[in-house]
Amino acid sequence: MWFEYMLNYPFANMYNLESAFTYSTSLRSPRWRAFDFQITPEAAITRNIDLSASFLGSYTFQNDTLESLELRPTIGVRFHFTEERRIQTRLFVRFEQRHFKDVEAGDWYKSNRFRTRAESVIALNKPTMFSGDKLWYAILDAEWFFVLDEDVEERFANRFRLRAGLGYRLNYNLRFEFVFTNQQSKNAIAENFYSSDNIFRFRIKQYLNKAKPSNATGTGN
């Protein structure tokens, strides 16, 4: 279960600042839980290309004896292919430099990871995603995670995610999303073990500064 609140502040018709707060946990053993905060400035440099840079801080209780802290700067680029149509299609590519600490031992590890996500957002009851309020929309995407060097001692370093969700835009300022994710993961703590998880994500997205909308609309985590 993931519970997410995303606060977006678009400005100057090309920038957006997103702050995302996340609590996640498992409903089965081992009952790990994590608290995340991520801040992401984003710029729409052209009609079809967005650049982003983010910083995430994550504290995870992985089991009864292992706690971890992760600091993760990320750079990314998103390519828009069908931005003004009913079905929006995009490609989001990111590179992460991950700094990972075993809290009990006090040791730091460093790992680099590449992510690529093929995204689609589909307006259901309006012609496009820009057609006003009370808009229902569907979310469908697939994402691949690749560790580029040694795995750090953590869960879920290498992943494949397939997501499908439903969103409701009440008005410009407020949106609600439910996203189901199937995640295939390699568990770096226990080598050669792969897991399959079903993740239920509940999101609230809030947008401020309606007078100055931006073409950049947030990463969506």
Side-chain angles (χ1 to χ4, degrees):
M1 303 283 288
W2 292 22
F3 301 92
E4 301 168 303
Y5 171 69
M6 299 174 179
L7 180 64
N8 289 269
Y9 186 82
F11 58 98
N13 201 41
M14 66 176 293
Y15 301 106
N16 183 70
L17 182 63
E18 180 181 79
S19 300
F21 306 84
T22 304
Y23 170 74
S24 56
T25 187
S26 174
L27 299 182
R28 62 185 182 186
S29 182
R31 290 289 304 272
W32 60 266
R33 61 192 188 278
F35 299 87
D36 298 352
F37 172 72
Q38 178 172 297
I39 186 164
T40 306
E42 184 181 17
I45 60 171
T46 72
R47 188 187 187 100
N48 300 103
I49 300 176
D50 302 336
L51 295 181
S52 65
S54 64
F55 182 82
L56 177 138
S58 177
Y59 198 94
T60 303
F61 299 87
Q62 301 208 37
N63 53 45
D64 292 338
T65 60
L66 179 60
E67 300 175 14
S68 61
L69 171 67
E70 181 180 349
L71 304 177
R72 185 195 306 170
T74 302
I75 57 174
V77 57
R78 176 185 273 116
F79 302 94
H80 298 263
F81 302 113
T82 57
E83 183 63 14
E84 296 184 0
R85 301 179 185 178
R86 179 183 291 270
I87 301 177
Q88 296 185 13
T89 55
R90 307 183 291 239
L91 181 67
F92 192 21
V93 179
R94 284 177 280 185
F95 174 77
E96 304 175 327
Q97 186 177 84
R98 311 175 67 225
H99 302 269
F100 186 89
K101 181 181 181 180
D102 181 333
V103 175
E104 296 297 321
D107 297 327
W108 282 93
Y109 304 89
K110 179 182 174 182
S111 178
N112 299 302
R113 189 166 66 181
F114 176 79
R115 301 171 59 169
T116 180
R117 184 166 75 197
E119 307 174 330
S120 64
V121 182
I122 307 164
L124 298 178
N125 64 329
K126 304 277 187 177
T128 72
M129 289 293 295
F130 307 99
S131 299
D133 301 336
K134 299 182 180 179
L135 168 69
W136 289 95
Y137 56 94
I139 302 164
L140 182 64
D141 59 50
E143 185 168 22
W144 293 262
F145 298 67
F146 304 100
V147 174
L148 302 179
D149 41 25
E150 293 183 3
D151 289 351
V152 295
E153 289 295 311
E154 62 160 332
R155 300 185 188 279
F156 315 138
N158 295 282
R159 304 169 175 167
F160 169 73
R161 285 181 182 167
L162 183 64
R163 305 192 308 180
L166 182 66
Y168 180 68
R169 171 176 160 157
L170 177 64
N171 50 45
Y172 173 83
N173 301 102
L174 203 57
R175 304 170 196 187
F176 305 92
E177 294 179 355
F178 168 74
V179 181
F180 169 76
T181 304
N182 178 259
Q183 177 173 268
Q184 306 291 325
S185 309
K186 178 181 178 181
N187 190 335
I189 294 176
E191 293 184 3
N192 301 320
F193 174 76
Y194 286 78
S195 66
S196 178
D197 298 292
N198 296 313
I199 304 171
F200 300 91
R201 304 174 70 165
F202 301 88
R203 293 174 171 170
I204 298 176
K205 290 184 176 181
Q206 187 174 5
Y207 287 80
L208 306 178
N209 200 26
K210 183 178 181 179
K212 295 183 178 181
S214 170
N215 293 328
T217 58
T219 66
N221 201 0

